Amino acid sequence: MTSNDTLMSARPRRVSYEEVRARIGEPEDMIRAKVHDRIDRHGHRFIAHSPFVAMATSDAHGLPDCSPRGDYPGFVKVLDERTLAIPDRPGNKLADSFRNLAENDGIGLMFVIPGMREVMRVNGHAYPTDEPDVLARMRTEGKDAQLAIVVEVVEAFFHCGRALIRSRLWDPASQALAAELPSAGEVAVDQMGLDVDPAVLENMLETAYRQLY
Amino acid sequence: MQTTVLDRVEPVADGTVSLVLRGADGPLAPWEPGAHVDLALPNWLTRQYSLCGDPADRGSYRVAVRHDRLSRGGSEYIHLFLRTGRTMEVSLPRNNFPLLPAPEYLFVAGGIGITPMVSMLAAAVESGAVATLVYVGRSLVTMPFAGELRAAYGDRVRVYATEEHGRPDFAALAAALNPQALVYCCGPMSMLDAAEAVFPAQRLHIERFQPTVRQFAPNQPFEVHCVRSGKTVPVAAEESMLDALNHAGCRVSSGCREGVCGSCEITVVDGEPEHRDDIGAPPGRMYCCVSRALSGRLVVDL
């Protein structure tokens, strides 16, 4: 039990969507108008400079999952103004996203560019592909991507920078936060109740991280 | 690396732009016809391009880039997003395609493979040799420099737009070849294969943009001893020698990482490398991005 659990006497109360609307008000027309149904040249430029995207999918029951994807800027390819392709590189082989897409083709993407406060969001429908011409565009260090996720764009829009400003995400001083956490090895030893030196796990992880493609 | 400023981006054919990169800190390093440079792009990719300007111009480099339909992010970035006025890091020129002395030359270029030939043809003509350029492309509008080359060299330049005239007869070219002539060929894989099939190997020089597809024996682990730093670096079966050296702090620069550009060339002091590159390493050298070891241990000058 952590101290947070003991502090809470009951579940926080739920408010209805109508109450939420009443609290936050209605968006300006200009904000509504920013949602496009395709990737225009500004969107293409944004994606071409983004080395990181958060990818949300959900299963047949609607249980969502958000997974990070990253590589060199532009690793997500804009095939045309309504179609993106995201490479699948070696990972933990859980394939949660692929399993979800097999059940529910909805996908939500948030593209991030280091140093940029605004982010770009794309929502649509997705499916896996092994199309050689698509995988060829993702060849890195002599290796093709094993699969790619094709995204058929429904909505694309820029999202304002307030969250990234408040979070000081690009402030170099913010990186000091990482030093406040135990290492991934220490966490794994604790969570799995292992009787090994965390440094051994750290070394294994570092070795695995050297094989990126 | 040399710092340049991108002065101009201009179309030179359908789907091809030329970039003029001006030295930011005075004259740029000299180069010989056939040389290429690595261009470090803002999207962290490094790409190799043949220099197609005038070697006598020390103030700037010129390259030409075709927008590849299957771009992995290099040519697409250059065509759609690169902005003039931007500072760009460019490597020192390297030459895997040098013009060797000969009384006669046959240059065979396919598409964007024309780029190294521009200065090579000029140098060959300048030397007084007999020089012919066979330049093959889909159609005239997609072929950079075709007009300029015809204007400058007349009948020495034979342009084949395959949509109109079909392909040149390589077998006939080979049959008519002066035994003293050297053949230089740069273009798509199918053209290079056709050239290798008809021209004598010892007369033929090839520049590739892509690695050939070959099968190698399964990777074996080995170790590399670096004489200058005194470090011994193990190379696991699943990692490249280049990555292992860099992770161990023995810095080796790299470009294509596919064995075609030559930027990761290192000197081998002892041991037997297993060459897997498409450049053809000179004796005592190797390209450590793709090449490995036949002996369990290599000693290198790092």
Side-chain angles (χ1 to χ4, degrees):
Chain A
M1 281 287 150
T2 66
S3 55
N4 276 349
D5 291 316
T6 54
L7 281 174
M8 205 156 77
S9 54
R11 304 306 308 159
R13 87 175 195 95
R14 182 189 300 264
V15 297
S16 70
Y17 181 66
E18 290 69 27
E19 289 174 274
V20 170
R21 263 285 160 240
R23 297 276 175 97
I24 67 176
E26 295 291 329
E28 307 279 343
D29 286 348
M30 205 184 83
I31 300 295
R32 283 206 177 98
K34 74 178 183 172
V35 180
H36 300 276
D37 63 355
R38 67 195 68 193
I39 307 292
D40 68 1
R41 62 195 175 92
H42 298 291
H44 192 173
R45 181 178 280 273
F46 198 100
I47 292 168
H49 288 85
S50 172
F52 181 85
V53 61
M55 181 174 87
T57 55
S58 47
D59 69 12
H61 308 290
L63 184 69
D65 177 75
C66 190
S67 166
R69 301 286 151 133
D71 211 312
Y72 62 90
F75 76 105
V76 174
K77 305 300 175 195
V78 178
L79 302 185
D80 61 42
E81 61 180 8
R82 299 205 188 252
T83 319
L84 306 182
I86 307 168
D88 187 57
R89 298 281 176 200
N92 62 10
K93 298 187 181 149
L94 288 177
D96 291 330
S97 305
F98 285 118
R99 196 196 55 225
N100 281 348
L101 290 175
E103 298 178 5
N104 177 344
D105 71 356
I107 192 165
L109 303 172
M110 183 179 78
F111 290 93
V112 176
I113 299 176
M116 184 96 190
R117 300 177 302 186
E118 289 75 22
V119 299
M120 183 175 174
R121 291 173 48 192
V122 177
N123 299 323
H125 304 286
Y127 61 89
T129 187
D130 64 350
E131 188 71 39
D133 276 5
V134 174
L135 299 186
R137 295 194 55 182
M138 298 162 172
R139 194 173 171 79
T140 300
E141 299 194 5
K143 295 199 178 97
D144 285 337
Q146 39 191 3
L147 287 166
I149 294 171
V150 175
V151 179
E152 293 167 332
V153 176
V154 175
E155 298 180 313
F157 51 96
F158 292 108
H159 192 123
C160 85
R162 289 191 191 90
L164 274 78
I165 295 168
R166 291 190 197 106
S167 64
R168 303 187 203 172
L169 199 59
W170 309 130
D171 182 346
S174 302
Q175 298 204 6
L177 288 169
E180 302 299 324
L181 274 74
S183 71
E186 286 165 341
V187 172
V189 163
D190 185 45
Q191 287 182 329
M192 293 188 260
L194 303 174
D195 184 24
V196 296
D197 182 350
V200 173
L201 290 184
E202 281 297 302
N203 274 333
M204 285 168 63
L205 197 59
E206 286 305 318
T207 305
Y209 282 172
R210 284 168 64 166
Q211 193 64 33
L212 290 174
Y213 296 101
Chain B
M1 287 303 235
Q2 312 178 79
T3 304
T4 67
V5 175
L6 179 60
D7 255 2
R8 288 203 304 278
V9 179
E10 53 201 10
V12 286
D14 275 8
T16 302
V17 292
S18 114
L19 310 181
V20 176
L21 299 146
R22 177 173 45 82
D25 315 310
L28 292 166
W31 56 282
E32 300 284 331
H36 69 269
V37 291
D38 298 339
L39 203 56
L41 300 174
N43 61 358
W44 311 348
L45 297 178
T46 298
R47 291 290 182 259
Q48 290 74 44
Y49 297 106
S50 297
L51 295 169
C52 61
D54 178 0
D57 173 10
R58 297 287 305 279
S60 61
Y61 290 153
R62 185 186 198 202
V63 299
V65 182
R66 193 185 56 162
H67 189 163
D68 184 354
R69 187 178 67 86
L70 297 180
S71 173
R72 295 171 295 162
S75 67
E76 180 191 71
Y77 191 93
I78 288 168
H79 274 257
L80 300 182
F81 304 119
L82 201 57
R83 295 192 286 197
T84 55
R86 199 184 188 288
T87 297
M88 299 193 71
E89 296 296 313
V90 178
S91 73
L92 295 174
R94 267 191 312 277
N95 201 347
N96 303 332
F97 203 42
L99 195 63
L100 302 174
E104 184 168 339
Y105 296 97
L106 173 62
F107 299 102
V108 182
I112 196 64
I114 191 64
T115 50
M117 307 293 190
V118 175
S119 58
M120 295 172 90
L121 177 60
V125 169
E126 175 84 1
S127 76
V130 178
T132 306
L133 168 67
V134 172
Y135 181 13
V136 188
R138 211 171 61 247
S139 63
L140 211 50
V141 291
T142 65
M143 297 171 70
F145 313 126
E148 293 100 302
L149 290 167
R150 282 284 296 180
Y153 304 109
D155 289 345
R156 280 182 283 212
V157 175
R158 285 145 62 180
V159 176
Y160 290 83
T162 56
E163 283 180 355
E164 282 174 62
H165 313 116
R167 297 182 184 284
D169 182 348
F170 275 23
L173 286 172
L177 193 69
N178 174 341
Q180 300 301 309
L182 289 178
V183 183
Y184 287 83
C185 184
C186 183
M189 199 90 84
S190 55
M191 168 182 270
L192 302 181
D193 290 346
E196 282 184 318
V198 298
F199 296 111
Q202 70 277 15
R203 315 303 304 167
L204 177 64
H205 297 266
I206 273 179
E207 172 107 314
R208 291 180 190 279
F209 318 135
Q210 291 171 354
T212 50
V213 178
R214 285 177 295 173
Q215 293 294 322
F216 299 102
N219 286 357
Q220 300 296 331
F222 59 100
E223 66 176 33
V224 188
H225 180 67
C226 304
V227 284
R228 276 193 255 171
S229 67
K231 283 184 187 166
T232 297
V233 180
V235 182
E238 68 277 4
E239 75 181 331
S240 72
M241 181 174 165
L242 173 71
D243 283 341
L245 287 169
N246 280 327
H247 284 300
C250 302
R251 304 302 302 176
V252 180
S253 61
S254 63
C256 69
R257 304 178 70 99
E258 292 185 331
V260 295
C261 84
S263 53
C264 63
E265 181 175 306
I266 56 176
T267 299
V268 183
V269 180
D270 195 26
E272 200 180 345
E274 179 196 4
H275 297 290
R276 295 183 175 186
D277 58 273
D278 281 302
I279 305 161
R285 301 295 180 93
M286 73 183 290
Y287 303 104
C288 61
C289 66
V290 291
S291 294
R292 301 184 66 84
L294 292 171
S295 49
R297 179 180 158 95
L298 290 179
V299 180
V300 301
D301 185 24
L302 283 175

